[in-house]
Amino acid sequence: MVNFKPILLHVLIWMLPLFVHGQQQLSGRVLNDVNEPIAGASVFVKGTTQGATTDASGNFELVAQGDSLSVTFIGYKPQTVAIGGQTTFTILLETDDQFLEDVVVVGYGTQNRATVTGSISEVKGDDLIKSPQPNLSNSLAGRFSGLVATNRGGEPGYDGSQLRIRGASTTGNTDVLVVVDGVPGQVGGLERLDPNDIESVTILKDAAAAVYGSRAANGVILVTTRKGKQGKPTVSYSFNQGFSSPTRLPTMADAATYAEIRNEIDYYNNPAGGMNQFYSEEDILKFRDGSDSFHFPNTDWQKEVLAKTALQNQHNLSVSGGTERTRYFVSAGTLMQDGIFKDGVTKYNQYNFRSNIDMDVTDRFKAGLSVAGREEKRRFPTVGAGEIFRNIYRAYPTILSRYENGYPSTGIENNNPVMMVTDAGGTNLNPKLVFNGILRASYDLPFLDGLMLDGFLAVDKSQESGKNFITPYLVYNYDATNNQYESRNVGEAKAQLQQFQENTSLMTANIKLNYEESFGDHNVKAFAAYEQSERTLSRLEAGRRNFPTSLTPEISQGGTALEDRTNAGLSWRESRVSFITRANYDYKQRYLLEAQLRIDGSSIFPPESRFGYFPGVSVGWRMSEEDWFNTGLINDLKLRASYGELGGDNISANQFVNNYIFNNAYTIGNSIYPGVDLYKLANPAITWEVSKKTDVGLNARFLDKFDLEFVYFNEKRSNILLPRNASIPGVIGISNPYDAETLVPAENIGRVDNNGIEATLGYQHRGNFNFGVAGNVTYVKSNVVFRDEAPGIPDWQKETGNPLNTYLLYRSIGIFRTQEDLDNYPHVQGAGLGDLIFEDYNQDGEITADDMVRTNLGNIPQLTFGLTLNVSYKNFDLSTVFSGQGRSRQYILSEAGTVGNFYNTWAENRWSPNNVDGTYPKVNERASTAISGGLFRNDFWLFNTAFVRLKNIELGYTIPTPIIERIGLNRVRLYANGFNVFTVTGLKNFDPEGDNESGHFYPQQRIFNLGVNIGF
């Protein structure tokens, strides 16, 4: 007979803790709202410290006592689950929109913002959609610190912003690396992406960018497109209609004022002839009173050429949804922008599509396919926008744009901008096709929890072409003496055609081994990857002159003579291979460490030195997670620091070998042979720029509503590629200029330091009335440590020791108003009353080139700032973005005189014998060669381009659901928004973001927009 007492006793002993304490063995899985596992979620028995953390598959196990479980994870709403009699759980966490920003995209992955140790800024696509500007790059200004986004012009199709991260720190290429859906340098770039397709845009500003190695010195912008989520299909349609106009245009002198100026110019050239040598007083009166508008017109050329508004509109249709195994997001969009010219041919049309499909083939194997493409159609006049505006501003107001019989006048030097904007001179077509395809796959390896293999293959293609068919046309000059119209031909006597086609391709392959696991309070996340890419480009150009007729605009129909034909072509190829690794470790999300290394090899550099090493390390301490940190005011406090070495390789290829070109021709006997010239000497030691970046930062959240970030950063850029021709004597031969170049090879000799601070402060209140405001500011100053400069340059003229992009100018200290002034101040030969007084900087009693002084500011702003505001109440919402800049200067000297009209600011305030108190210098035959103008470049024409701008504002109203449900709709939102609504600046004639030194550019646009979003 079996004695059960010992067995029963052991069972009772084993079960005693459960009877005494009520504990149970619990297990389960935590999933998100699309049934994907959530790794790192916290599962605790409510009211106790008993808990566990989910593994990479979302699983957890714990022995616990209590009534319910509390499940939390950053970015999701907390979930409380009753235990009851259950021992196994499947817990779904719902996404919390309030905390979406707490999960941020980084290079080759994502991180919780709480554990991020680098300088990273992010904006969501939903915010970018609220800008009516169709160029995505123009929607970024003012939204976060560290980004300098400067819009230099507004021509449709070429209206993007110049993006710099933390200013400029190199004399070379300053382009930011753009990574779209993980593909570095994706063909097609950032600007023309449809904002409706964007999930988020992230900026990597410090060592966090080291994961992109030799291409990351100027910072990295990561663009993530939208993905589908599990659920029934959701259809969204949006449409907006916009009206654009220039933000700022100069006011030009009217005809009477210009006539007076023309008389003054003649008087200065011939004082004995008196003040009315060109126009009589009676003539000037007729210009002023309009009594004879045919012979004495007062033409406002801007009104003649420019329309008050130009139209633009945008459509987008998207479908998203999915099942447990398959999720999809598909969209298509169109965009149209008109130019601002009356009867102009300028127009931009875009058609784009995107399809992102993700599939769970098995529980372990996942795959995805992303396909996107767009067609960009650009149409322009055969004359560039800069030349058109040059002639608008120069054209004489004393000449009609068209005569009574409809004939166009000669305008200025036979350039009539009324005709230049039309198709009279032909059209310039510039279409572009872009295709992007990405195939992705990942596999959770079964032999080790947390180990996953993934990769992608990306294929990008673009095809750009140009067809510029230039046709002759007539303008007319009216001869009042004979009452006749004299015709003049514009351009060549017969039509001509220039064409090109450029094909670009990029193939990128990446394979990556990931590991992510938690060991109690220790969390580890790491990956190692191999990546390779190849980019190719080919370009073919051809031209024909002397077309027999303008009705056959095809290259085969041009003149048949040898001199009528031109052709050219080029091609290049560059390839890269990379080994990438990064490891993240944290203890209780309290002590944070990240280390990364990228080894890059590039065909741009010599075979024996093609590989470079780019490390980065960052640390963080969440002080608020310490047990002793118990202040009720501060909810989260993190200190962090980083250091990284990054590279810059955006330079011309083949510089490590001698460069030759076919240039001269030689005659031997009766035959002509092409000659080969040495174009550039080789630099076999050429390498990439090196950027050493250091960051120290603080992130804090306090009073549950305020968020603060403060960062000090320092960058030391070395190995900048520069020619050493300034200090090489010309007698040795290699520094002699050839075709605007020199034989001297560029060397990695330049050095620039860059340092500054960033700060962001935000406040968010949530409830029935939602209110959020955030301000940011960035101050960054560059300093040229070394560049090759000629010996003997005075210290005050050297670029070394000064910021980048500064000017070398004479200092103006006043205007010669009396003979006593001329006697007391040194002046250049020919200077007289009404000319600028230049400072004798070296005090040698003469005005010479040694008196020019390097300015302390240039056209790259050292100070940028922004303010965002979001308000919503019931069905109304309002959002605004302010942006601005300071500590920036731009040199602008108009092309004026007998060669063109004057800006009214100069015309009304000019010094003259009748206005000796004028604040502008006297007028001259040609401003570009005048003593007070371009002959002695001076800071009188250096303008402060600081500004504050309402960059974006949107007011929306969502129609109540009970109303729209009657017609089968889920959501209808009506909105009105504006872009570049107003600008506060001291610059009168131009938009302060322009950088053309003559002011000749297509102006930035102010856009007002009406739109609707509909959800089915």
Side-chain angles (χ1 to χ4, degrees):
M1 183 176 181
V2 178
N3 186 357
F4 288 99
K5 291 183 180 180
I7 299 175
L8 183 59
L9 181 62
H10 281 88
V11 172
L12 291 174
I13 293 173
W14 178 81
M15 295 183 61
L16 183 62
L18 298 180
F19 288 112
V20 173
H21 301 289
Q23 291 184 329
Q24 303 177 66
Q25 184 77 27
L26 305 178
S27 65
R29 197 177 190 206
V30 179
L31 306 172
N32 62 16
D33 47 10
V34 291
N35 286 330
E36 295 175 338
I38 299 177
S42 298
V43 183
F44 281 87
V45 176
K46 197 167 185 179
T48 74
T49 59
Q50 298 171 311
T53 302
T54 58
D55 60 19
S57 299
N59 297 317
F60 70 89
E61 291 183 358
L62 59 89
V63 176
Q65 171 202 7
D67 297 325
S68 59
L69 295 177
S70 175
V71 186
T72 60
F73 186 68
I74 294 175
Y76 294 84
K77 293 181 179 179
Q79 179 81 285
T80 300
V81 180
I83 295 176
Q86 297 183 74
T87 59
T88 303
F89 302 83
T90 298
I91 302 170
L92 298 178
L93 293 187
E94 181 183 352
T95 301
D96 187 352
D97 293 337
Q98 178 178 349
F99 294 100
L100 277 177
E101 64 272 21
D102 289 332
V103 178
V104 63
V105 176
V106 296
Y108 299 99
T110 60
Q111 289 182 8
N112 296 333
R113 187 176 294 276
T115 60
V116 167
T117 52
S119 284
I120 297 174
S121 296
E122 184 183 46
V123 61
K124 294 297 180 181
D126 289 339
D127 293 325
L128 297 176
I129 293 173
K130 295 178 180 179
S131 172
Q133 168 54 244
N135 192 307
L136 183 63
S137 67
N138 293 332
S139 302
L140 301 177
R143 295 188 182 273
F144 28 54
S145 64
L147 180 70
V148 181
T150 309
N151 182 228
R152 299 301 192 186
E155 185 176 24
Y158 292 102
D159 51 359
S161 287
Q162 184 180 55
L163 301 179
R164 293 187 178 97
I165 294 177
R166 293 178 171 175
S169 54
T170 177
T171 58
N173 186 283
T174 61
D175 289 348
V176 176
L177 175 65
V178 176
V179 180
V180 181
D181 284 339
V183 181
Q186 186 182 75
V187 171
L190 167 76
E191 293 186 353
R192 290 297 161 188
L193 295 178
D194 190 333
N196 294 282
D197 294 346
I198 304 301
E199 180 67 32
S200 66
V201 175
T202 307
I203 297 180
L204 310 182
K205 296 176 280 190
D206 66 339
V211 74
Y212 290 102
S214 64
R215 307 167 71 183
N218 296 326
V220 178
I221 293 179
L222 308 177
V223 180
T224 304
T225 60
R226 294 184 187 274
K227 299 290 183 69
K229 296 182 179 180
Q230 181 180 345
K232 67 177 184 179
T234 300
V235 180
S236 297
Y237 169 74
S238 66
F239 167 76
N240 59 68
Q241 177 65 54
F243 308 87
S244 66
S245 59
T247 57
R248 185 160 304 204
L249 291 170
T251 301
M252 308 303 295
D254 62 17
T257 303
Y258 183 76
E260 293 173 345
I261 288 174
R262 190 66 187 266
N263 281 342
E264 290 173 19
I265 292 173
D266 286 352
Y267 171 75
Y268 300 143
N269 293 331
N270 178 28
M275 286 295 294
N276 293 97
Q277 299 177 42
F278 201 91
Y279 292 106
S280 68
E281 288 293 340
E282 183 181 8
D283 292 339
I284 294 174
L285 181 61
K286 290 180 179 179
F287 280 125
R288 181 167 285 117
D289 63 21
S291 57
D292 185 357
S293 59
F294 180 79
H295 296 92
F296 299 92
N298 182 19
T299 303
D300 185 334
W301 284 92
Q302 292 181 31
K303 288 185 178 179
E304 296 294 317
V305 180
L306 305 180
K308 291 184 178 179
T309 58
L311 299 181
Q312 68 171 50
N313 60 59
Q314 193 167 15
H315 297 262
N316 181 269
L317 178 67
S318 67
V319 183
S320 65
T323 66
E324 183 179 353
R325 290 289 187 182
T326 304
R327 297 161 300 281
Y328 56 87
F329 172 83
V330 181
S331 77
T334 67
L335 168 66
M336 185 281 291
Q337 289 177 275
D338 273 336
I340 59 172
F341 303 123
K342 289 181 179 178
D343 302 318
V345 298
T346 298
K347 196 179 190 69
Y348 177 79
N349 283 284
Q350 177 176 306
Y351 309 92
N352 55 271
F353 75 91
R354 182 172 298 276
S355 173
N356 290 337
I357 300 174
D358 297 287
M359 298 169 287
D360 296 345
V361 182
T362 68
D363 290 340
R364 292 186 178 275
F365 180 62
K366 299 179 182 179
L369 177 64
S370 298
V371 178
R374 67 177 178 272
E375 180 181 23
E376 304 171 9
K377 290 185 175 181
R378 297 174 177 85
R379 187 182 69 192
F380 303 112
T382 56
V383 180
E387 186 65 15
I388 291 171
F389 278 92
R390 174 176 180 254
N391 287 287
I392 291 175
Y393 301 148
R394 290 179 63 217
Y396 305 124
T398 54
I399 293 179
L400 288 168
S401 62
R402 288 184 184 272
Y403 298 109
E404 293 176 338
N405 59 8
Y407 284 173
S409 73
T410 56
I412 175 77
E413 299 171 354
N414 293 335
N415 293 312
N416 185 330
V418 168
M419 300 298 295
M420 294 169 74
V421 303
T422 70
D423 61 0
T427 55
N428 185 0
L429 304 179
N430 180 210
K432 186 175 183 179
L433 295 172
V434 177
F435 170 82
N436 307 114
I438 309 172
L439 178 63
R440 305 179 185 278
S442 66
Y443 182 68
D444 288 321
L445 299 173
F447 51 82
L448 181 63
D449 288 342
L451 193 64
M452 182 183 71
L453 186 69
D454 69 20
F456 69 82
L457 175 65
V459 178
D460 300 331
K461 299 280 186 179
S462 77
Q463 182 184 88
E464 182 177 4
S465 61
K467 187 174 184 179
N468 191 16
F469 190 60
I470 304 171
T471 56
Y473 63 94
L474 299 177
V475 294
Y476 297 84
N477 181 56
Y478 175 67
D479 184 354
T481 303
N482 300 316
N483 192 29
Q484 292 182 343
Y485 294 91
E486 302 172 350
S487 64
R488 299 178 183 178
N489 197 69
V490 177
E492 296 188 3
K494 293 185 177 181
Q496 57 180 306
L497 173 65
Q498 288 104 34
Q499 279 189 263
F500 78 87
Q501 181 164 311
E502 184 172 287
N503 297 322
T504 303
S505 68
L506 172 66
M507 182 171 288
T508 308
N510 177 288
I511 186 168
K512 182 160 59 83
L513 184 64
N514 308 271
Y515 180 71
E516 183 173 0
E517 191 59 272
S518 296
F519 305 94
D521 294 326
H522 303 272
N523 303 301
V524 177
K525 185 176 183 180
F527 76 81
Y530 171 79
E531 185 173 283
Q532 67 178 40
S533 66
E534 180 181 77
R535 183 185 289 262
T536 62
L537 179 145
S538 62
R539 182 182 175 98
L540 179 65
E541 301 176 4
R544 285 286 184 96
R545 299 172 59 246
N546 289 321
F547 276 69
T549 172
S550 298
L551 300 177
T552 56
E554 303 299 335
I555 198 75
S556 61
Q557 303 302 303
T560 58
L562 181 62
E563 59 270 21
D564 289 339
R565 309 177 184 182
T566 61
N567 60 76
L570 62 89
S571 65
W572 58 258
R573 166 187 171 275
E574 66 180 33
S575 57
R576 292 180 170 88
V577 295
S578 304
F579 304 91
I580 317 158
T581 182
R582 182 175 65 209
N584 295 81
Y585 165 79
D586 74 75
Y587 174 71
K588 291 186 175 181
Q589 294 191 344
R590 181 185 304 167
Y591 308 116
L592 316 171
L593 173 65
E594 177 177 288
Q596 52 192 328
L597 174 67
R598 183 169 181 134
I599 304 172
D600 271 341
S602 172
S603 63
I604 295 173
F605 303 107
E608 62 274 11
S609 57
R610 282 185 171 164
F611 283 88
Y613 299 84
F614 303 95
V617 62
S618 56
V619 296
W621 176 30
R622 293 185 68 200
M623 188 186 302
S624 55
E625 296 300 299
E626 296 287 358
D627 295 335
W628 49 263
F629 192 93
N630 55 8
T631 175
L633 299 178
I634 301 177
N635 310 108
D636 189 71
L637 177 62
K638 178 172 63 177
L639 304 178
R640 55 183 175 82
S642 68
Y643 172 80
E645 295 184 7
L646 303 84
D649 69 351
N650 201 342
I651 61 172
S652 300
N654 301 316
Q655 296 191 54
F656 55 88
V657 294
N658 286 338
N659 284 205
Y660 298 88
I661 62 170
F662 290 105
N663 184 59
N664 294 321
Y666 300 91
T667 302
I668 301 177
N670 294 322
S671 301
I672 299 175
Y673 299 90
V676 178
D677 286 339
L678 176 64
Y679 183 74
K680 183 76 69 175
L681 290 169
N683 174 8
I686 190 171
T687 187
W688 33 68
E689 297 180 7
V690 175
S691 170
K692 298 180 179 180
K693 297 190 178 187
T694 303
D695 264 44
V696 178
L698 174 150
N699 294 81
R701 181 172 179 82
F702 53 98
L703 298 177
D704 287 322
K705 295 182 183 295
F706 293 90
D707 291 282
L708 171 68
E709 181 180 43
F710 182 84
V711 181
Y712 166 79
F713 57 87
N714 177 277
E715 178 185 7
K716 295 185 180 298
R717 186 78 67 99
S718 59
N719 287 0
I720 299 172
L721 201 63
L722 290 171
R724 196 192 291 273
N725 59 319
S727 60
I728 297 177
V731 294
I732 69 172
I734 66 170
S735 62
N736 292 333
Y738 174 78
D739 192 24
E741 289 281 351
T742 64
L743 292 174
V744 181
E747 299 179 59
N748 298 102
I749 56 175
R751 286 185 292 146
V752 175
D753 287 350
N754 213 18
N755 62 81
I757 58 172
E758 296 177 11
T760 302
L761 178 62
Y763 170 82
Q764 186 71 51
H765 170 78
R766 296 186 183 275
N768 292 330
F769 176 79
N770 293 305
F771 175 78
V773 60
N776 65 79
V777 62
T778 303
Y779 174 78
V780 55
K781 183 178 180 181
S782 61
N783 178 59
V784 178
V785 178
F786 177 82
R787 71 173 303 160
D788 190 51
E789 299 190 82
I793 292 180
D795 290 341
W796 57 88
Q797 294 185 356
K798 291 181 177 179
E799 292 181 69
T800 303
N802 286 290
L804 289 167
N805 281 38
T806 54
Y807 301 90
L808 186 61
L809 304 170
Y810 290 94
R811 289 184 173 179
S812 60
I813 57 175
I815 294 176
F816 290 113
R817 303 186 186 279
T818 64
Q819 183 61 44
E820 184 180 3
D821 289 339
L822 283 168
D823 295 337
N824 290 338
Y825 290 100
H827 52 270
V828 299
Q829 184 177 359
L833 298 181
D835 283 320
L836 293 174
I837 303 172
F838 299 138
E839 181 183 3
D840 179 16
Y841 189 82
N842 62 358
Q843 298 183 350
D844 64 354
E846 298 179 299
I847 302 298
T848 65
D850 285 346
D851 292 309
M852 300 182 77
V853 179
R854 179 73 52 185
T855 62
N856 64 343
L857 295 173
N859 66 358
I860 300 176
Q862 294 182 355
L863 179 69
T864 55
F865 51 89
L867 179 71
T868 61
L869 174 68
N870 296 279
V871 179
S872 65
Y873 178 69
K874 293 185 177 180
N875 292 60
F876 290 93
D877 61 270
L878 173 70
S879 65
T880 63
V881 179
F882 287 87
S883 67
Q885 69 180 33
R887 294 188 59 78
S888 59
R889 300 291 186 269
Q890 177 63 49
Y891 180 89
I892 306 174
L893 176 62
S894 62
E895 196 172 349
T898 58
V899 296
N901 199 6
F902 287 77
Y903 300 147
N904 206 43
T905 49
W906 190 353
E908 287 190 346
N909 299 289
R910 70 190 186 280
W911 182 96
S912 72
N914 299 321
N915 183 28
V916 295
D917 294 324
T919 55
Y920 274 66
K922 69 182 182 184
V923 294
N924 290 93
E925 189 87 21
R926 187 184 289 264
S928 59
T929 58
I931 288 174
S932 297
L935 185 60
F936 296 89
R937 280 173 60 101
N938 61 83
D939 65 1
F940 185 87
W941 310 106
L942 188 67
F943 295 92
N944 186 342
T945 52
F947 69 84
V948 177
R949 168 173 282 162
L950 178 53
K951 194 71 175 178
N952 193 77
I953 184 170
E954 178 173 285
L955 176 63
Y957 175 73
T958 302
I959 298 177
T961 302
I963 297 176
I964 60 173
E965 281 181 339
R966 300 171 186 172
I967 54 175
L969 300 178
N970 293 332
R971 185 172 185 267
V972 176
R973 180 175 178 270
L974 308 174
Y975 64 88
N977 55 29
F979 176 80
N980 285 346
V981 178
F982 67 79
T983 306
V984 179
T985 180
L987 188 63
K988 296 183 181 299
N989 294 314
F990 297 102
D991 191 286
E993 293 189 66
D995 65 348
N996 186 281
E997 293 193 353
S998 297
H1000 303 149
F1001 63 96
Y1002 194 109
Q1004 292 82 351
Q1005 295 297 291
R1006 176 188 295 112
I1007 303 170
F1008 293 100
N1009 209 39
L1010 297 173
V1012 59
N1013 297 327
I1014 301 174
F1016 300 89

